[in-house]
Amino acid sequence: MLQRVRDLIAIPELRSRLLSGAQGLDRKVRWAHVCELPDPTEWLGEGDVLMTTGLGIPRVPAEQHTYVTRLAQAGIAGMMIGEHMQAPQDISALVEQAETLGFPVILTEYGVPFAAVTRAIIDANQQDEFARRGALAKVYESARLSIQGLGLPALLQRLQTDIQCCLYLVSLDTFTPWAHGLPALPAPLKTSLGTTRPRQGTPQPMVRRHALQTGEALSIELPTEQGCLLVVTGAQLPDYGMLHHLTAVLGLEVQRLQAERERRLRLGSELLDDLLQQRLQTAPLLERLGAYLPGLTLDTAVISAARLKGSDSVREDQLHHLEDTALVRTQGQELILLHLDGLQEQYSSQLDLQLGSSALLVHAQRGPEALREALLALAHTHAERRVCRYTQLETDTPWLPRTPDEAHRAFRSVLGALHDYDHANGSQLLHTLQVFLEENRSWVNAAQRLHVHKQTLVYRVRRIEAISGRSLDNTADVATFWFALQSALAIGCSF
């Protein structure tokens, strides 16, 4: 069975001879492929033989040095150059560096078709193909078990055994495990992916190779789930075809899991909405809650709230990581959670958001009140205090209201007339005021965010000043407007 570079050279009909790199003659050969690109390592990797007419070989000696170094570092088995074709006349720099690296450079006579080299490897590697088909059969047996409810972590473990490689399924954005129970990337591998793999939206090969201190890793995105990345490491990496079989099998399980996640988030959101709208008594609430968060009681549960601004959003994968410990609902720019008390700091860090939390829920009819408490506590958060509990409101923001009643009075005394005007005329003056102040009174930025012409914004601001009796050119009035808006948001008003 042909497995080494020396065996390839020894085939008489290929009429090939070694030019440089004798120390690498025992390198294993998996495949041979023609590539004339300046960087063949994007398409070839460990165990592949590069066949070239010489078109892609640089003419500058320093570039030849870099070219062959890159090939050797990618684990390519060797390089076959067709004689008297398109290679530069002087390839001495390439030959010298190949000898230093022990990278075989082979010359093949002009009349030998490259297809004959590929055919020789195919004929000699039939035993490898038999083993590959056996591994493929195991892969699809694992797929059958997955359909029967094996689960993603167990499926990944079986596939690792099937192909004798380490498999990691991670998020392309963060390189963290895509789901609970999946193995995390080793730190060196995570670093390598972060520096060598382009982010989403940039052109890139289907399969990317990543050099490690020992060997290399492969990465390929799952076609059924954008942003889900399969990473493979091992002594004998799978070929391109096997990788696609793996992504097909994993893609089916990921799609099933994704559909289950979306269903769970939707039903959890509906349950949280029923609580906030007081549609449930305590007994039926506990019954439904037990199906989602076993062990959670109303005596240990709290409602927390976070607020998004502008174009900020919480990624879907972040919400999925909460599904086992919280009910999640989004309302406009607000994110609402029902969860066990004590997890606030963890959620704030995981979501990278400031979080306000209510007192203990205790009974079902306290849902709306608990939400108002959470929003009021949220109004007291800032960069130095990212989590604030209603039961532990501190005094470093004495200008903000401390109870829902205080917040309502502050809102009505300053913004009540604007609120009534909007309600009567279907206008959006309060929302305009909020955006204008959040954009630090920038006419251009506020107009862009509101999707209106600057003159329209000027008209709205003048109407706000006329109705409220306050001026947005006056610092005291601006501060009053801002605190009143925070009071409104603290009692759940949205504009």
Side-chain angles (χ1 to χ4, degrees), residues 44-70:
L44 285 79
E46 187 174 357
D48 294 338
V49 172
L50 168 63
M51 298 186 296
T52 176
T53 63
L55 185 63
I57 298 176
R59 298 186 178 277
V60 179
E63 294 179 0
Q64 290 182 12
H65 184 285
T66 302
Y67 177 82
V68 74
T69 300
R70 189 185 298 120

Side-chain angles (χ1 to χ4, degrees), residues 118-137:
T118 305
R119 173 56 62 186
I121 295 174
I122 292 174
D123 292 342
N125 283 341
Q126 288 181 347
Q127 186 173 344
D128 284 345
E129 180 61 22
F130 179 79
R132 180 181 180 277
R133 290 181 180 179
L136 189 58

Side-chain angles (χ1 to χ4, degrees), residues 247-266:
T247 57
V249 170
L250 287 169
L252 290 173
E253 178 61 19
V254 164
Q255 276 193 318
R256 186 198 66 78
L257 183 58
Q258 185 77 332
E260 175 60 25
R261 282 176 164 181
E262 292 172 356
R263 185 190 71 86
R264 183 179 175 86
L265 283 172
R266 175 176 54 80

Side-chain angles (χ1 to χ4, degrees), residues 32-333:
H33 193 76
V34 177
C35 185
E36 306 292 0
L37 295 175
D39 183 9
T41 62
E42 291 282 3
W43 311 102
L44 285 79
E46 187 174 357
D48 294 338
V49 172
L50 168 63
M51 298 186 296
T52 176
T53 63
L55 185 63
I57 298 176
R59 298 186 178 277
V60 179
E63 294 179 0
Q64 290 182 12
H65 184 285
T66 302
Y67 177 82
V68 74
T69 300
R70 189 185 298 120
L71 297 180
Q73 290 176 343
I76 291 176
M79 177 181 184
M80 298 185 74
I81 304 174
E83 285 191 289
H84 310 301
M85 291 189 179
Q86 294 175 309
Q89 290 186 356
D90 182 9
I91 58 172
S92 57
L94 182 147
V95 172
E96 179 182 345
Q97 180 65 3
E99 185 66 32
T100 301
L101 298 173
F103 180 77
V105 176
I106 304 165
L107 288 181
T108 302
E109 287 192 14
Y110 179 85
V112 178
F114 283 151
V117 179
T118 305
R119 173 56 62 186
I121 295 174
I122 292 174
D123 292 342
N125 283 341
Q126 288 181 347
Q127 186 173 344
D128 284 345
E129 180 61 22
F130 179 79
R132 180 181 180 277
R133 290 181 180 179
L136 189 58
K138 293 179 181 178
V139 165
Y140 279 97
E141 173 63 15
S142 296
R144 184 185 67 81
L145 294 175
S146 175
I147 293 174
Q148 296 178 353
L150 181 64
L152 186 57
L155 173 61
L156 199 69
Q157 184 64 44
R158 279 189 61 95
L159 292 176
Q160 287 186 141
T161 304
D162 293 341
I163 67 170
Q164 296 296 301
C165 289
C166 293
L167 303 179
Y168 304 91
L169 204 60
V170 299
S171 167
L172 181 57
D173 288 329
T174 60
F175 299 125
T176 55
W178 190 82
H180 292 299
L182 298 181
L185 285 172
L189 180 54
K190 188 174 181 179
T191 300
S192 178
L193 261 67
T195 56
T196 61
R197 186 169 183 93
R199 297 293 177 176
Q200 290 175 276
T202 59
Q204 57 181 294
M206 183 74 69
V207 179
R208 288 195 67 87
R209 299 180 180 273
H210 311 275
L212 304 175
Q213 289 184 345
T214 56
E216 65 176 353
L218 304 178
S219 67
I220 179 172
E221 290 184 52
L222 264 61
T224 57
E225 180 64 25
Q226 186 178 19
C228 186
L229 189 69
L230 174 64
V231 183
V232 186
T233 64
Q236 186 67 38
L237 294 174
D239 59 23
Y240 184 82
M242 180 62 77
L243 276 176
H244 279 271
H245 287 294
L246 289 173
T247 57
V249 170
L250 287 169
L252 290 173
E253 178 61 19
V254 164
Q255 276 193 318
R256 186 198 66 78
L257 183 58
Q258 185 77 332
E260 175 60 25
R261 282 176 164 181
E262 292 172 356
R263 185 190 71 86
R264 183 179 175 86
L265 283 172
R266 175 176 54 80
L267 294 179
S269 175
E270 291 174 358
L271 174 55
L272 186 50
D273 185 54
D274 286 343
L275 170 66
L276 298 177
Q277 299 300 324
Q278 296 183 312
R279 302 189 188 106
L280 293 174
Q281 298 299 319
T282 299
L285 171 63
L286 287 174
E287 182 180 352
R288 290 176 59 184
L289 192 60
Y292 292 95
L293 303 174
L296 181 65
T297 67
L298 299 186
D299 291 333
T300 60
V302 295
I303 289 179
S304 293
R307 184 169 293 114
L308 310 173
K309 293 184 178 180
S311 59
D312 293 344
S313 62
V314 176
R315 297 195 313 271
E316 193 173 271
D317 64 316
Q318 291 176 300
L319 296 182
H320 289 157
H321 283 298
L322 303 179
E323 62 184 0
D324 292 332
T325 58
L327 297 184
V328 184
R329 181 172 181 80
T330 55
Q331 293 183 174
Q333 292 296 99

Side-chain angles (χ1 to χ4, degrees), residues 300-460:
T300 60
V302 295
I303 289 179
S304 293
R307 184 169 293 114
L308 310 173
K309 293 184 178 180
S311 59
D312 293 344
S313 62
V314 176
R315 297 195 313 271
E316 193 173 271
D317 64 316
Q318 291 176 300
L319 296 182
H320 289 157
H321 283 298
L322 303 179
E323 62 184 0
D324 292 332
T325 58
L327 297 184
V328 184
R329 181 172 181 80
T330 55
Q331 293 183 174
Q333 292 296 99
E334 292 174 353
L335 179 68
I336 303 171
L337 310 173
L338 173 68
H339 61 87
L340 179 69
D341 189 25
L343 298 178
Q344 289 90 330
E345 284 75 13
Q346 173 186 326
Y347 292 156
S348 176
S349 174
Q350 189 170 338
L351 298 171
D352 192 24
L353 293 172
Q354 296 173 8
L355 208 67
S357 187
S358 72
L360 294 175
L361 194 56
V362 182
H363 57 81
Q365 297 307 306
R366 228 182 68 77
E369 181 183 356
L371 177 58
R372 287 193 293 270
E373 293 173 354
L375 292 170
L376 184 60
L378 178 61
H380 287 261
T381 60
H382 47 74
E384 300 301 322
R385 184 175 66 196
R386 296 181 59 80
V387 173
C388 181
R389 293 170 170 80
Y390 178 75
T391 55
Q392 300 172 337
L393 286 181
E394 300 176 8
T395 59
D396 61 347
T397 52
W399 50 85
L400 290 176
R402 312 195 69 75
T403 68
D405 287 340
E406 288 182 10
H408 186 267
R409 286 195 300 270
F411 164 62
R412 288 300 306 177
S413 66
V414 179
L415 300 176
L418 283 172
H419 178 269
D420 295 341
Y421 182 88
D422 279 347
H423 183 73
N425 295 277
S427 57
Q428 294 184 319
L429 295 183
L430 276 176
H431 178 62
T432 299
L433 176 61
Q434 179 187 10
V435 171
F436 188 58
L437 293 182
E438 286 180 351
E439 295 298 334
N440 297 312
R441 293 183 290 173
S442 167
W443 296 100
V444 174
N445 293 344
Q448 289 178 347
R449 185 169 156 190
L450 291 166
H451 305 291
V452 299
H453 192 274
K454 179 182 174 182
Q455 288 304 118
T456 302
L457 176 60
V458 171
Y459 170 77
R460 290 186 184 180

